[in-house]
Amino acid sequence: MAETATHIDIPCQRCKVRNRAICAALDDEQIVDLNAISEHITLERERTVFFESDPADYLYNIIDGNVRIHKSLADGRRQITGFLYSGDFLGLSVAGVYPYSAEVITTTTMCRFSRKGMTKIIERYPAFEHNLLQLASHELAAAQEHVLLLGRKTAAERLCSFILNTAEKQIGGISDQRAKLPMTRQDIADYLGLTIETVSRTFTRLKKTGTIRLPEPDTIEIANFQQLEDLALGEAAA
Amino acid sequence: MAETATHIDIPCQRCKVRNRAICAALDDEQIVDLNAISEHITLERERTVFFESDPADYLYNIIDGNVRIHKSLADGRRQITGFLYSGDFLGLSVAGVYPYSAEVITTTTMCRFSRKGMTKIIERYPAFEHNLLQLASHELAAAQEHVLLLGRKTAAERLCSFILNTAEKQIGGISDQRAKLPMTRQDIADYLGLTIETVSRTFTRLKKTGTIRLPEPDTIEIANFQQLEDLALGEAAA
DNA sequence: CGATTGCTTGACTGGGTTCAAGGCCAGTGG
DNA sequence: CCACTGGCCTTGAACCCAGTCAAGCAATCG
C-alpha cells in the first residue's frame, strides 16, 4: 500500500471524540491539516483552563473529563454558565478575549488549536466555520434556556431541568435512567442560581416524592421520569 | 457615466442601518446580490414576527423599531431574553426552527431575507458567514451576562444593569445620560426575572437615592452615573 | 484517629411576590 | 367640556420561598 498522507499515523483519525466534536466537519484527508495545529493537554481537577478577559489564543475540544465555565461579580458571587462534557467545544471569543473563565472539574484531557492556525483552516475549509456557527447557535439556544430557568423557574423546577439535561449529556443518553454528577453541590447551586442548602433540601424532597433516587451523593437515578419531566417543564400539578 | 450595476438604484446601498447590520460584511457590489433576496416588512405594535419552534424560513434585520424575544412555560410564565433595536439582527435558528418567539414592541420595519437565498449568498461570500459567527458569539456572551444577572444579582443590581445596557444601545450611546424605554414595566419585569411591582418599587428607590430621574415613566435620566455603574456591577457599598 | 471536606438538616430571617387599592393619563362619547 | 373607561404604573400590607446562620454527619486523608 502506498504511503500517502492519509495512511501516515494521524492521531486525530483515531480520536475518541472524532465524530462528536467540531472535527466532524472535516473528512479524513482534511483533518490532517487540523492535526498539524492541534496538541493535547491534560489538566488536573480544579485547574484553570483560562480566565475571563484573557486573550483568546486557543480553541479547545474536550476529549475526556469535565469543564465548568463561569462569570463572577466583584464581591465573589459566582454564576456557572455551563458544564461541558467530552466532545464539547470551548473557546468562542468576543473581541479577541474569552467572555468567561473555564476550569476543569475532574482531570481533563483536551485538544487545543491555536486561533491563528484555525483561521487558516477556515480559509481553506469554509465548512469548518459553518460548523462553528451551528455550534454557536446551539450554545446560544442553551443559554436562553438557562435564562428561562433562572428567571422563571422554582428551585424544584430548576433542579429537575438540571437533572434531565445532565442525564441527556452523559454517554449512553438518558435511556439508562442514571446520571453521574461530576460537580459539587456548590457548583450545582452556582449553576442554578440557588444556595447549596436549597439544592440539598430539594434533592431530599425529590427523593421523598419518589421522583429520583440518590444511591450516592454523586449518582442520580431517575425513579419517575414523567414526574421529573413535568416538574422540569413547569407542568407539575399545582 | 456608464450605467453599471453599482449605479442602478440599490435600496440596500442607502439603507439607514447599512453599516451597523450584518450587511456591513458585504461591499457595495456584493450587496446587490443581497438586495435581490431581501424585502421590507412593517409590523404594528404587539404583532408577532414568529413563534418559538416555527420553521426558520427567514432572517431579519431591524431597520427601525423595537422587538422583544421571549420563551414561555406551559402555565404562561414568560421570560424575555432580549430587546432588539434598529440595526440588530434576528433569526438564528437551531435544527431549522426558531428557539424563541419574537414580537414587535413599537411599529417596526424590518429587512427580511429568505434562508434559502441566504445560503447561496454565504456560498459566494464566506465573509458573510464569518460575520454571522461573530454576531452569534456576541449574542452568546450577552446571554451569559443575562444568566449572571438572573442568577446572582439583586433586584436593584438587575435594574441598574438593564438601564445601563439600554442606554448604551440607544442611538447616541450613553453619552447624553438619557434613555427611552420603549417597553412596558411588565416587559422589564419579564426580562429581569422580577414582578412588575418590584420593578416599580426599585425605580422609586433609585429615584430617591438620586441615582436616576424619571421625568416620564418611559424616559430615564442618569443622575449619578458612578452610583448606577457600581450598583450594576454589584460593587455598591454594602 | 483527629482533621478536613462535602453534604444534609433545622430554625429563623428577609427580599421579593402576592394580593389589593389607588393614582395618572389618554381616548371616547354624551 | 367633563364624566367614564381602560391601560399602565405606583404604593401598601401580608406572606412565602429561598437565603442565612448554625449544627451535625459521613467519608476521606494525612
Side-chain angles (χ1 to χ4, degrees):
Chain A
M1 213 183 249
E3 198 69 358
T4 66
T6 51
H7 295 109
I8 296 171
D9 182 44
I10 305 296
C12 283
Q13 290 175 359
R14 46 186 172 70
C15 175
K16 60 179 283 201
V17 298
R18 168 80 171 91
N19 295 309
R20 290 187 297 129
I22 41 163
C23 331
L26 304 180
D27 65 29
D28 277 351
E29 270 189 60
Q30 296 168 342
I31 212 165
V32 174
D33 291 336
L34 190 63
N35 196 72
I37 61 157
S38 71
E39 57 183 325
H40 284 191
I41 61 167
T42 297
L43 291 178
E44 300 299 319
R45 102 184 259 286
E46 292 301 313
R47 281 298 164 82
T48 296
V49 186
F50 53 73
F51 290 102
E52 182 175 347
S53 78
D54 273 357
D57 295 330
Y58 296 98
L59 297 154
Y60 302 83
N61 245 323
I62 299 173
I63 294 174
D64 200 54
N66 303 102
V67 171
R68 65 166 180 250
I69 60 183
H70 79 266
K71 291 172 81 80
S72 294
L73 295 174
D75 62 4
R77 277 174 285 173
R78 182 180 71 153
Q79 177 63 46
I80 292 180
T81 53
F83 294 110
L84 306 182
Y85 296 81
S86 75
D88 284 349
F89 176 78
L90 176 65
L92 284 179
S93 59
V94 172
V97 301
Y98 298 115
Y100 46 76
S101 302
E103 291 130 25
V104 309
I105 296 177
T106 56
T107 299
T108 298
T109 301
M110 291 175 284
C111 186
R112 190 172 84 168
F113 315 95
S114 74
R115 182 161 297 277
K116 282 181 188 168
M118 194 64 120
T119 304
K120 284 178 192 150
I121 301 269
I122 285 171
E123 278 168 18
R124 200 170 309 166
Y125 311 116
F128 209 91
E129 188 144 59
H130 184 73
N131 249 39
L132 281 177
L133 177 58
Q134 299 280 69
L135 209 139
S137 302
H138 200 272
E139 275 189 46
L140 180 59
Q144 286 171 342
E145 193 63 45
H146 198 183
V147 162
L148 173 63
L149 178 148
L150 293 171
R152 289 295 177 228
K153 290 187 184 178
T154 65
E157 290 165 352
R158 292 179 198 199
L159 198 56
C160 289
S161 301
F162 169 74
I163 294 169
L164 277 179
N165 289 341
T166 303
E168 275 163 15
K169 278 186 269 183
Q170 309 255 319
I171 333 283
I174 209 164
S175 51
D176 64 357
Q177 308 285 308
R178 198 189 186 94
K180 266 280 168 192
L181 300 178
M183 69 293 284
T184 65
R185 292 289 186 273
Q186 186 63 62
D187 286 340
I188 296 174
D190 285 349
Y191 178 76
L192 298 178
L194 300 169
T195 59
I196 184 173
E197 293 94 333
T198 299
V199 170
S200 188
R201 276 189 258 269
T202 307
F203 267 132
T204 303
R205 236 172 285 135
L206 290 174
K207 268 195 301 191
K208 283 185 182 155
T209 57
T211 310
I212 59 165
R213 280 183 297 269
L214 270 173
E216 294 146 61
D218 69 343
T219 306
I220 290 189
E221 285 175 11
I222 299 174
N224 187 333
F225 185 85
Q226 192 60 51
Q227 210 167 315
L228 187 67
E229 196 174 36
D230 285 353
L231 267 163
L233 299 176
E235 290 169 2
Chain B
M1 213 182 249
E3 199 69 358
T4 66
T6 51
H7 295 110
I8 296 170
D9 181 44
I10 304 297
C12 283
Q13 290 175 358
R14 45 185 173 69
C15 175
K16 59 180 280 201
V17 297
R18 168 81 171 91
N19 294 312
R20 290 186 297 128
I22 40 164
C23 330
L26 304 180
D27 65 28
D28 276 352
E29 270 189 57
Q30 295 167 344
I31 211 165
V32 174
D33 290 336
L34 190 63
N35 195 73
I37 61 158
S38 71
E39 56 183 325
H40 283 191
I41 61 167
T42 296
L43 292 178
E44 299 300 318
R45 102 184 260 287
E46 293 300 312
R47 280 299 162 82
T48 296
V49 186
F50 53 73
F51 290 102
E52 181 175 349
S53 78
D54 272 358
D57 295 331
Y58 297 98
L59 297 154
Y60 302 83
N61 246 323
I62 298 173
I63 295 174
D64 200 56
N66 303 102
V67 171
R68 65 167 179 250
I69 61 183
H70 78 266
K71 291 172 81 80
S72 294
L73 295 173
D75 62 3
R77 278 174 285 175
R78 181 180 72 153
Q79 177 63 46
I80 292 179
T81 54
F83 294 110
L84 306 182
Y85 296 81
S86 76
D88 284 348
F89 176 78
L90 176 66
L92 284 180
S93 59
V94 173
V97 301
Y98 298 116
Y100 47 76
S101 301
E103 292 130 25
V104 309
I105 296 177
T106 55
T107 300
T108 298
T109 301
M110 292 174 283
C111 185
R112 189 171 83 168
F113 315 95
S114 74
R115 182 161 297 276
K116 283 181 188 169
M118 194 63 119
T119 304
K120 285 177 191 151
I121 300 269
I122 286 172
E123 278 168 18
R124 201 170 307 166
Y125 311 115
F128 209 91
E129 187 144 60
H130 184 72
N131 248 39
L132 282 177
L133 177 58
Q134 299 280 67
L135 209 138
S137 301
H138 200 271
E139 275 190 44
L140 180 59
Q144 286 170 342
E145 193 63 45
H146 198 185
V147 163
L148 173 63
L149 179 149
L150 293 171
R152 289 294 178 231
K153 289 188 183 176
T154 65
E157 290 166 352
R158 292 180 199 199
L159 198 56
C160 290
S161 301
F162 169 75
I163 293 169
L164 276 179
N165 290 341
T166 303
E168 275 163 14
K169 279 186 270 184
Q170 308 254 321
I171 333 284
I174 211 165
S175 51
D176 62 356
Q177 307 286 310
R178 200 188 185 95
K180 266 279 167 192
L181 300 178
M183 70 293 285
T184 64
R185 291 290 185 273
Q186 186 63 62
D187 286 340
I188 297 174
D190 285 348
Y191 179 76
L192 298 178
L194 300 169
T195 58
I196 185 173
E197 294 94 334
T198 300
V199 170
S200 187
R201 278 188 257 268
T202 307
F203 267 132
T204 303
R205 238 172 285 135
L206 290 175
K207 267 194 302 190
K208 283 184 184 159
T209 57
T211 310
I212 60 165
R213 279 183 297 270
L214 271 172
E216 293 147 61
D218 70 343
T219 306
I220 290 190
E221 285 176 11
I222 299 174
N224 187 332
F225 186 84
Q226 192 61 50
Q227 209 167 317
L228 187 68
E229 197 173 37
D230 285 352
L231 267 163
L233 299 175
E235 289 169 5

